[in-house]
Amino acid sequence: MAHVSAARRWFAILALALGGFGIGVTEFVTMGLLPNIAADLLPAQYATDPAAANASAGYLVSVYALGVVVGAPTIAALAARWPRKRLLIALVSVFVVGNLLSAVLPSFGLVLAARFVSALPHGAYFGIASLVAASLMGPDKRARGVAFVLGGLAIANVVGVPFGTFLGQSFGWRSAYLLVAVIFALTLACILVAVPFQPGDPAATMRNELSAFTRLQVWLTLALGSIGFGGVFAVYTYIAPVVTDVTGLGAGVVPWVLVAFGLGMTVGNFVSGWLTDRSVKRSLVITVIGLGVSVLAFGLFAHLAVGLFVTVFFVGGFAGACSPGIQTRLMDVSHNAQSIAAALNHSALNIGNSLGAFLGGLVIAAGFGYIAPAFAGVGLAIVGFAILLVSFGIDRRRGRAASTAVSAPSA
């Protein structure tokens, strides 16, 4: 890559972060509008059983997560040789179309399909954008480059998601997805202007990229993201009915609760970027323990207004801290399969999203109430921490084996 001026480098990173901002809005705004969507697209069920209708509408969250899981490795493996700027342009174009379809299609089934399409570029976009940002920032600041791109997603939860929720509550939920389509159209223009040309990997092959799946540490890191992160969405998917039915606050408070989550996510993301550049393992340990504790605190104190805001902030903080650490860990353990590894982070996290939303819907539909998903989320975080310990244990054993092999000839 030719020399890039500092001004253009930061313009390019901001353009990539704007795409992350759009992804954050389209992914998270559904939660704040879940009752509105359920009332409009599932009116008969909502009239007789609002909780069941909200649980059914939660499948919009699950199917979006499924689209990320399917799209991230598929696109990353197939397009590893593409010039990165061209691939980013193609991915953002799909975002524009998918969100327009989400805004205009008339039935729940068709909107469900549109959400799946909207999600397909999600993981590949973050994966490729993270590689571009890491390259622009240099090797000693690569986690901060990743964190800047992911910071767009975090900031979306401070500004974009609350505003989109307010917009959807005021002018109909479809207006929120129209807003997202506009954000992605602007992102497309900025990437065209700002992001410098970066070639794809000419040596990349489908076989090389898929070789990531032969590595145990890649699977363990994916399992960490898939299971450990699930607790966030067990809580966050149903945050709107928690605010109104558990804490007893008005629907107008929901955007402010989303602001608290977003502020926490923003702080956690950037702190994690700094900490991960110093120690990937220490960052992951702190994040997973913090996630479990904060989700437990939500379950215990969300019935109080102050408890709701404070615990949501910390859940958001540790949620935001997850991605830079897991992203960097995947890049470290994947060796020569960088494109697919960078994208798989978001497959893993969105399996967690889908798992958390699904389990949360199950316990709500079973009659345990809107707080019960938090306690399911604590269980997911505990399993995630156990996976982390296994992964680090394998590292230690391999390190001792390598040390023994090096010292053996001199013995």
Side-chain angles (χ1 to χ4, degrees):
M1 183 177 65
H3 174 73
V4 177
S5 68
R8 187 176 181 189
R9 179 173 66 248
W10 284 108
F11 186 15
I13 289 173
L14 288 173
L16 297 173
L18 181 60
F21 180 86
I23 292 174
V25 179
T26 196
E27 181 177 17
F28 291 108
V29 78
T30 304
M31 290 70 158
L33 296 173
L34 211 60
N36 308 76
I37 296 170
D40 183 38
L41 295 181
L42 302 167
Q45 186 181 28
Y46 193 83
T48 58
D49 191 346
N54 285 333
S56 296
Y59 290 128
L60 291 170
V61 178
S62 295
V63 80
Y64 183 94
L66 180 62
V68 179
V69 173
V70 171
T74 304
I75 295 171
L78 290 173
R81 292 189 180 187
W82 282 31
R84 289 171 177 172
K85 181 174 181 176
R86 184 188 303 170
L87 179 54
L88 288 170
I89 290 168
L91 295 172
V92 174
S93 298
V94 175
F95 279 128
V96 174
V97 173
N99 282 280
L100 282 174
L101 291 174
S102 299
V104 302
L105 290 174
S107 70
F108 182 74
L110 289 175
V111 172
L112 204 65
R115 298 310 296 150
F116 180 81
V117 171
S118 300
L120 290 172
H122 177 128
Y125 176 86
F126 272 127
I128 299 303
S130 294
L131 291 174
V132 171
S135 173
L136 290 169
M137 292 292 288
D140 58 331
K141 296 180 181 178
R142 59 185 184 135
R144 272 169 280 186
V146 172
F148 275 118
V149 173
L150 296 172
L153 187 151
I155 293 170
N157 284 278
V158 181
V159 180
V161 175
F163 179 73
T165 302
F166 168 77
L167 194 70
Q169 290 175 341
S170 302
F171 300 101
W173 62 268
R174 296 178 186 276
S175 63
Y177 293 121
L178 287 174
L179 171 67
V180 174
V182 171
I183 292 170
F184 281 121
L186 181 59
T187 300
L188 186 61
C190 290
I191 287 175
L192 282 166
V193 172
V195 175
F197 174 82
Q198 282 195 7
D201 182 357
T205 65
M206 178 75 79
R207 171 184 255 179
N208 284 344
E209 292 299 318
L210 294 179
S211 70
F213 292 108
T214 67
R215 299 187 175 98
L216 176 59
Q217 288 288 34
V218 169
W219 281 107
L220 289 171
T221 308
L222 293 175
L224 168 64
S226 300
I227 298 172
F229 192 68
V232 173
F233 267 61
V235 167
Y236 194 64
T237 300
Y238 305 99
I239 195 68
V242 168
V243 172
T244 55
D245 293 17
V246 176
T247 318
L249 302 174
V253 178
V254 173
W256 295 106
V257 175
L258 299 181
V259 168
F261 182 90
L263 286 170
M265 198 172 188
T266 303
V267 172
N269 176 74
F270 288 109
V271 170
S272 177
W274 174 83
L275 184 60
T276 301
D277 273 330
R278 282 152 180 78
S279 172
V280 176
K281 292 183 178 181
R282 187 182 303 121
S283 175
L284 288 172
V285 168
I286 292 170
T287 297
V288 177
I289 292 174
L291 198 56
V293 172
S294 62
V295 170
L296 175 62
F298 177 90
L300 295 174
F301 300 110
H303 64 285
L304 304 170
V306 173
L308 173 69
F309 277 93
V310 172
T311 57
V312 161
F313 174 85
F314 281 102
V315 171
F318 288 107
C322 279
S323 202
I326 295 175
Q327 183 90 72
T328 306
R329 173 74 172 169
L330 277 170
M331 291 165 67
D332 288 342
V333 299
S334 65
H335 304 300
N336 63 336
Q338 290 283 296
S339 294
I340 199 168
L344 283 172
N345 180 32
H346 299 277
S347 287
L349 296 180
N350 277 272
I351 291 173
N353 296 357
S354 184
L355 178 63
F358 176 72
L359 290 178
L362 283 182
V363 297
I364 291 169
F368 292 104
Y370 289 118
I371 284 295
F375 298 106
V378 173
L380 293 174
I382 291 171
V383 175
F385 186 67
I387 292 168
L388 190 64
L389 293 179
V390 170
S391 178
F392 291 169
I394 291 171
D395 277 349
R396 285 193 296 272
R397 284 197 298 273
R398 288 177 177 173
R400 286 196 297 267
S403 177
T404 301
V406 168
S407 61
S410 61

